[in-house]
Amino acid sequence: MKTFPPILVFRLILCILFSVCYLPLVAIINLATFRLFTLSFTSPLSRIWGRGCLFFLGIKLNVENKEIMNQREPRILLFNHTSTLDIFVMGSLFAVGGTAIGKKELAYIPFLNVTWWAMGFSFLDRKNHEKGIVQLNAFCDELISKKMTIMIAPEGTRSRTGELQKFKMGAFQVALRTKVPMVPMVICNAAELMPYKNFLPRPGTIDVKILPAFQTDDLCYENLRQKTKEVRDIYVKELHLYAEKRGFDKNPSESVTLPSSLPLP
Protein backbone atom coordinates (compact mmCIF):
# COMPACT_ATOMS: atom_id res chain seq x y z
CA MET A 1 0.00 0.00 0.00
CA LYS A 2 1.31 3.43 -0.96
CA THR A 3 1.94 5.75 1.98
CA PHE A 4 1.93 9.54 1.93
CA PRO A 5 4.20 11.80 4.02
CA PRO A 6 2.07 13.04 6.95
CA ILE A 7 3.24 16.63 6.58
CA LEU A 8 2.03 16.74 2.97
CA VAL A 9 -1.33 15.27 3.95
CA PHE A 10 -1.61 17.85 6.74
CA ARG A 11 -0.81 20.69 4.34
CA LEU A 12 -3.42 19.47 1.87
CA ILE A 13 -6.06 19.24 4.61
CA LEU A 14 -5.32 22.84 5.65
CA CYS A 15 -5.65 23.95 2.02
CA ILE A 16 -8.99 22.17 1.66
CA LEU A 17 -10.34 23.54 4.94
CA PHE A 18 -9.30 27.06 3.97
CA SER A 19 -11.07 26.72 0.62
CA VAL A 20 -14.20 25.21 2.17
CA CYS A 21 -14.44 28.17 4.55
CA TYR A 22 -13.34 30.93 2.20
CA LEU A 23 -15.06 30.13 -1.11
CA PRO A 24 -18.63 30.24 0.27
CA LEU A 25 -17.76 33.59 1.86
CA VAL A 26 -16.66 34.91 -1.53
CA ALA A 27 -19.89 33.65 -3.10
CA ILE A 28 -21.97 35.30 -0.38
CA ILE A 29 -20.20 38.64 -0.84
CA ASN A 30 -20.87 38.63 -4.58
CA LEU A 31 -24.45 37.40 -4.28
CA ALA A 32 -25.25 39.90 -1.52
CA THR A 33 -24.26 42.70 -3.90
CA PHE A 34 -26.24 41.07 -6.75
CA ARG A 35 -22.99 40.48 -8.64
CA LEU A 36 -22.86 44.20 -9.49
CA PHE A 37 -19.25 44.65 -8.35
CA THR A 38 -17.69 41.36 -9.40
CA LEU A 39 -15.01 43.03 -11.52
CA SER A 40 -13.97 45.12 -8.51
CA PHE A 41 -14.09 42.28 -5.98
CA THR A 42 -12.75 39.43 -8.08
CA SER A 43 -9.06 40.31 -8.18
CA PRO A 44 -8.46 40.92 -4.44
CA LEU A 45 -10.70 38.04 -3.35
CA SER A 46 -9.09 35.62 -5.80
CA ARG A 47 -5.59 36.66 -4.79
CA ILE A 48 -6.35 36.02 -1.12
CA TRP A 49 -7.65 32.54 -1.96
CA GLY A 50 -4.82 31.58 -4.30
CA ARG A 51 -2.06 32.85 -2.03
CA GLY A 52 -3.69 31.27 1.01
CA CYS A 53 -3.85 27.86 -0.67
CA LEU A 54 -0.22 28.07 -1.82
CA PHE A 55 0.84 29.15 1.66
CA PHE A 56 -0.79 26.12 3.29
CA LEU A 57 0.75 23.85 0.65
CA GLY A 58 4.20 25.28 1.33
CA ILE A 59 4.59 26.68 -2.18
CA LYS A 60 6.08 30.07 -3.01
CA LEU A 61 5.79 32.08 -6.22
CA ASN A 62 8.68 33.72 -8.01
CA VAL A 63 7.04 36.08 -10.51
CA GLU A 64 8.71 38.20 -13.16
CA ASN A 65 6.83 41.32 -14.36
CA LYS A 66 3.88 40.79 -12.02
CA GLU A 67 3.01 44.50 -12.25
CA ILE A 68 1.43 43.67 -15.61
CA MET A 69 -1.42 41.98 -13.70
CA ASN A 70 -2.37 45.29 -12.08
CA GLN A 71 -3.14 47.00 -15.37
CA ARG A 72 -6.85 47.44 -16.17
CA GLU A 73 -7.37 47.14 -19.91
CA PRO A 74 -9.10 44.82 -22.40
CA ARG A 75 -6.77 41.92 -23.19
CA ILE A 76 -6.42 38.16 -23.35
CA LEU A 77 -4.08 36.51 -20.86
CA LEU A 78 -2.69 33.16 -21.95
CA PHE A 79 -1.14 30.59 -19.62
CA ASN A 80 0.22 27.10 -20.11
CA HIS A 81 -1.58 24.42 -18.12
CA THR A 82 0.53 21.56 -16.74
CA SER A 83 -0.67 21.04 -13.18
CA THR A 84 -3.63 21.33 -10.82
CA LEU A 85 -1.52 23.94 -9.02
CA ASP A 86 -2.08 26.30 -11.94
CA ILE A 87 -5.48 27.28 -10.57
CA PHE A 88 -3.83 28.51 -7.36
CA VAL A 89 -1.14 30.32 -9.34
CA MET A 90 -3.74 32.08 -11.46
CA GLY A 91 -5.76 32.93 -8.36
CA SER A 92 -2.70 34.41 -6.67
CA LEU A 93 -1.95 36.62 -9.67
CA PHE A 94 -5.52 37.33 -10.73
CA ALA A 95 -5.64 40.31 -13.07
CA VAL A 96 -7.39 43.52 -12.08
CA GLY A 97 -10.70 43.52 -13.94
CA GLY A 98 -10.14 39.89 -14.77
CA THR A 99 -12.52 37.09 -15.55
CA ALA A 100 -11.96 33.43 -16.24
CA ILE A 101 -13.22 30.73 -18.54
CA GLY A 102 -12.97 27.23 -17.11
CA LYS A 103 -13.71 23.76 -18.36
CA LYS A 104 -17.27 22.57 -17.87
CA GLU A 105 -16.09 19.89 -15.45
CA LEU A 106 -15.44 22.59 -12.82
CA ALA A 107 -19.21 22.85 -12.43
CA TYR A 108 -19.13 19.53 -10.57
CA ILE A 109 -16.66 20.61 -7.88
CA PRO A 110 -18.49 21.57 -4.64
CA PHE A 111 -17.99 25.13 -3.34
CA LEU A 112 -15.81 26.04 -6.31
CA ASN A 113 -18.72 25.74 -8.76
CA VAL A 114 -21.01 28.15 -6.90
CA THR A 115 -18.17 30.60 -6.28
CA TRP A 116 -17.16 30.41 -9.95
CA TRP A 117 -20.67 31.40 -11.01
CA ALA A 118 -21.07 34.04 -8.29
CA MET A 119 -17.87 35.74 -9.44
CA GLY A 120 -19.19 36.01 -12.98
CA PHE A 121 -16.93 33.36 -14.47
CA SER A 122 -18.10 31.01 -17.21
CA PHE A 123 -17.80 27.35 -18.07
CA LEU A 124 -16.54 26.24 -21.48
CA ASP A 125 -17.68 23.05 -23.18
CA ARG A 126 -14.39 21.73 -24.59
CA LYS A 127 -16.00 18.71 -26.25
CA ASN A 128 -18.34 20.78 -28.40
CA HIS A 129 -16.11 22.97 -30.58
CA GLU A 130 -18.89 25.04 -32.13
CA LYS A 131 -20.57 25.69 -28.79
CA GLY A 132 -17.20 26.59 -27.27
CA ILE A 133 -16.56 29.20 -29.95
CA VAL A 134 -20.02 30.71 -29.39
CA GLN A 135 -19.34 30.92 -25.66
CA LEU A 136 -16.00 32.62 -26.22
CA ASN A 137 -17.46 35.09 -28.70
CA ALA A 138 -20.10 36.06 -26.14
CA PHE A 139 -17.30 37.69 -24.13
CA CYS A 140 -16.08 39.91 -26.92
CA ASP A 141 -18.37 42.92 -26.46
CA GLU A 142 -17.99 42.92 -22.67
CA LEU A 143 -14.26 42.45 -23.00
CA ILE A 144 -13.87 45.84 -24.64
CA SER A 145 -16.65 47.85 -22.97
CA LYS A 146 -15.74 46.76 -19.41
CA LYS A 147 -11.96 46.67 -19.96
CA MET A 148 -11.78 43.04 -18.91
CA THR A 149 -8.89 40.60 -18.95
CA ILE A 150 -9.94 37.12 -20.02
CA MET A 151 -7.64 34.38 -18.75
CA ILE A 152 -7.47 31.33 -21.01
CA ALA A 153 -5.31 28.22 -21.23
CA PRO A 154 -4.80 27.88 -25.01
CA GLU A 155 -3.97 24.18 -24.66
CA GLY A 156 -7.57 23.65 -23.62
CA THR A 157 -6.80 21.06 -20.97
CA ARG A 158 -4.12 20.14 -18.47
CA SER A 159 -1.07 18.37 -19.86
CA ARG A 160 -0.73 14.76 -18.73
CA THR A 161 3.00 14.65 -19.37
CA GLY A 162 4.10 18.12 -18.32
CA GLU A 163 4.96 18.90 -21.94
CA LEU A 164 3.52 21.86 -23.78
CA GLN A 165 0.56 20.71 -25.85
CA LYS A 166 -0.80 21.91 -29.14
CA PHE A 167 -2.59 25.25 -28.85
CA LYS A 168 -6.26 25.40 -29.73
CA MET A 169 -7.59 28.47 -31.49
CA GLY A 170 -10.43 29.56 -29.17
CA ALA A 171 -8.47 32.40 -27.57
CA PHE A 172 -7.17 33.48 -30.97
CA GLN A 173 -10.72 33.54 -32.34
CA VAL A 174 -11.57 36.06 -29.63
CA ALA A 175 -8.47 38.10 -30.51
CA LEU A 176 -9.47 37.97 -34.18
CA ARG A 177 -12.82 39.55 -33.41
CA THR A 178 -11.76 42.04 -30.74
CA LYS A 179 -8.20 42.91 -31.82
CA VAL A 180 -7.23 43.27 -28.15
CA PRO A 181 -3.64 42.56 -27.03
CA MET A 182 -2.58 39.13 -25.83
CA VAL A 183 -0.34 38.62 -22.81
CA PRO A 184 1.60 35.34 -22.50
CA MET A 185 2.15 34.00 -18.98
CA VAL A 186 4.66 31.15 -18.74
CA ILE A 187 4.29 28.87 -15.71
CA CYS A 188 7.56 27.00 -15.66
CA ASN A 189 7.58 24.20 -13.10
CA ALA A 190 4.18 23.62 -11.52
CA ALA A 191 4.14 20.08 -12.94
CA GLU A 192 7.40 19.42 -11.15
CA LEU A 193 5.72 19.96 -7.79
CA MET A 194 2.44 18.28 -8.71
CA PRO A 195 2.49 16.11 -11.85
CA TYR A 196 -0.65 14.75 -13.46
CA LYS A 197 -2.60 12.33 -11.24
CA ASN A 198 -0.43 13.10 -8.19
CA PHE A 199 -2.56 13.49 -5.11
CA LEU A 200 -0.19 15.55 -2.99
CA PRO A 201 1.84 18.57 -4.14
CA ARG A 202 5.40 18.96 -2.89
CA PRO A 203 6.54 22.21 -1.24
CA GLY A 204 8.79 24.37 -3.37
CA THR A 205 8.84 27.40 -5.63
CA ILE A 206 6.88 27.93 -8.84
CA ASP A 207 8.54 30.28 -11.32
CA VAL A 208 6.25 32.44 -13.45
CA LYS A 209 7.23 34.81 -16.23
CA ILE A 210 4.71 37.32 -17.59
CA LEU A 211 5.74 38.56 -21.01
CA PRO A 212 4.87 41.97 -22.52
CA ALA A 213 1.63 42.16 -24.44
CA PHE A 214 1.70 41.85 -28.21
CA GLN A 215 -0.79 43.43 -30.58
CA THR A 216 -3.25 41.44 -32.70
CA ASP A 217 -4.20 44.09 -35.26
CA ASP A 218 -2.74 42.02 -38.09
CA LEU A 219 -4.61 38.86 -37.11
CA CYS A 220 -6.90 37.51 -39.83
CA TYR A 221 -8.45 34.20 -40.88
CA GLU A 222 -5.62 33.58 -43.34
CA ASN A 223 -2.85 33.75 -40.72
CA LEU A 224 -4.77 32.50 -37.68
CA ARG A 225 -3.09 29.09 -37.55
CA GLN A 226 0.34 30.58 -38.23
CA LYS A 227 -0.07 33.16 -35.44
CA THR A 228 -1.24 30.44 -33.07
CA LYS A 229 1.92 28.48 -33.85
CA GLU A 230 4.09 31.58 -33.39
CA VAL A 231 2.65 32.21 -29.94
CA ARG A 232 3.19 28.58 -28.98
CA ASP A 233 6.79 28.92 -30.17
CA ILE A 234 7.21 31.73 -27.64
CA TYR A 235 6.29 29.29 -24.89
CA VAL A 236 8.62 26.61 -26.26
CA LYS A 237 11.48 29.11 -26.28
CA GLU A 238 10.81 30.39 -22.76
CA LEU A 239 10.47 26.88 -21.33
CA HIS A 240 13.68 25.85 -23.08
CA LEU A 241 15.53 28.84 -21.62
CA TYR A 242 14.18 27.98 -18.18
CA ALA A 243 15.20 24.33 -18.48
CA GLU A 244 18.63 25.40 -19.72
CA LYS A 245 18.98 27.74 -16.76
CA ARG A 246 18.17 24.85 -14.45
CA GLY A 247 20.86 22.79 -16.12
CA PHE A 248 18.47 20.65 -18.08
CA ASP A 249 19.16 21.45 -21.72
CA LYS A 250 16.65 20.44 -24.35
CA ASN A 251 16.22 20.92 -28.07
CA PRO A 252 14.38 24.26 -28.34
CA SER A 253 12.34 22.94 -31.25
CA GLU A 254 10.70 20.42 -28.93
CA SER A 255 8.30 20.73 -26.02
CA VAL A 256 10.07 20.98 -22.70
CA THR A 257 9.35 18.69 -19.77
CA LEU A 258 10.67 19.39 -16.30
CA PRO A 259 10.85 15.98 -14.60
CA SER A 260 9.83 15.57 -10.98
CA SER A 261 13.34 14.38 -10.12
CA LEU A 262 14.80 17.87 -10.58
CA PRO A 263 16.03 19.33 -7.28
CA LEU A 264 14.03 22.25 -5.96
CA PRO A 265 15.61 25.72 -5.97
Side-chain angles (χ1 to χ4, degrees):
M1 177 181 291
K2 186 175 181 180
T3 59
F4 300 101
I7 184 61
L8 297 187
V9 175
F10 178 67
R11 287 182 180 277
L12 180 61
I13 291 174
L14 288 178
C15 176
I16 293 173
L17 289 176
F18 171 67
S19 296
V20 168
C21 295
Y22 184 75
L23 292 180
L25 177 62
V26 172
I28 290 171
I29 291 174
N30 281 281
L31 293 176
T33 56
F34 303 99
R35 301 202 302 170
L36 296 175
F37 306 101
T38 53
L39 287 179
S40 299
F41 291 162
T42 297
S43 178
L45 291 176
S46 297
R47 290 181 181 186
I48 292 172
W49 175 72
R51 293 171 186 178
C53 289
L54 291 179
F55 171 78
F56 288 121
L57 294 173
I59 295 173
K60 297 179 181 180
L61 286 182
N62 177 35
V63 185
E64 187 174 340
N65 302 324
K66 63 181 177 181
E67 66 278 359
I68 292 176
M69 304 302 289
N70 294 325
Q71 300 168 2
R72 178 72 182 270
E73 58 186 56
R75 55 188 177 173
I76 300 169
L77 180 73
L78 307 174
F79 66 96
N80 54 314
H81 192 15
T82 62
S83 172
T84 302
L85 293 175
D86 294 337
I87 189 173
F88 302 133
V89 174
M90 298 306 297
S92 300
L93 300 172
F94 207 90
V96 173
T99 187
I101 300 176
K103 56 186 179 181
K104 188 175 66 174
E105 290 78 1
L106 291 175
Y108 305 109
I109 301 177
F111 301 104
L112 180 61
N113 50 9
V114 176
T115 306
W116 195 271
W117 175 80
M119 295 180 77
F121 300 163
S122 296
F123 300 103
L124 180 66
D125 190 345
R126 301 173 300 165
K127 297 180 180 179
N128 188 326
H129 177 72
E130 291 184 1
K131 184 178 180 180
I133 293 297
V134 171
Q135 290 172 320
L136 285 175
N137 286 338
F139 281 92
C140 292
D141 294 335
E142 280 193 325
L143 173 64
I144 297 175
S145 63
K146 295 183 179 180
K147 295 184 178 181
M148 296 166 59
T149 294
I150 296 181
M151 293 177 283
I152 304 177
E155 296 162 281
T157 187
R158 178 171 35 127
S159 173
R160 297 189 176 192
T161 63
E163 294 184 351
L164 191 68
Q165 303 173 96
K166 180 180 179 181
F167 279 14
K168 298 180 180 180
M169 293 193 293
F172 298 88
Q173 292 278 1
V174 175
L176 176 64
R177 178 173 172 180
T178 61
K179 302 299 183 181
V180 300
M182 304 186 88
V183 179
M185 174 189 287
V186 186
I187 303 175
C188 294
N189 59 324
E192 178 184 333
L193 301 183
M194 191 176 184
Y196 184 76
K197 286 189 176 181
N198 270 38
F199 179 67
L200 294 173
R202 295 189 297 124
T205 300
I206 295 177
D207 296 304
V208 180
K209 185 175 183 179
I210 305 171
L211 302 177
F214 61 90
Q215 301 301 315
T216 60
D217 296 331
D218 62 340
L219 199 60
C220 60
Y221 284 108
E222 289 73 19
N223 65 12
L224 191 62
R225 291 187 181 276
Q226 178 60 30
K227 292 295 183 181
T228 302
K229 180 182 181 300
E230 290 176 3
V231 174
R232 184 183 181 278
D233 288 343
I234 293 174
Y235 279 82
V236 172
K237 178 182 177 181
E238 290 295 333
L239 290 170
H240 165 70
L241 291 174
Y242 179 78
E244 191 176 51
K245 181 181 178 181
R246 297 285 298 275
F248 207 80
D249 196 9
K250 295 276 287 188
N251 186 335
S253 65
E254 301 294 333
S255 300
V256 176
T257 304
L258 298 177
S260 57
S261 59
L262 273 176
L264 296 176

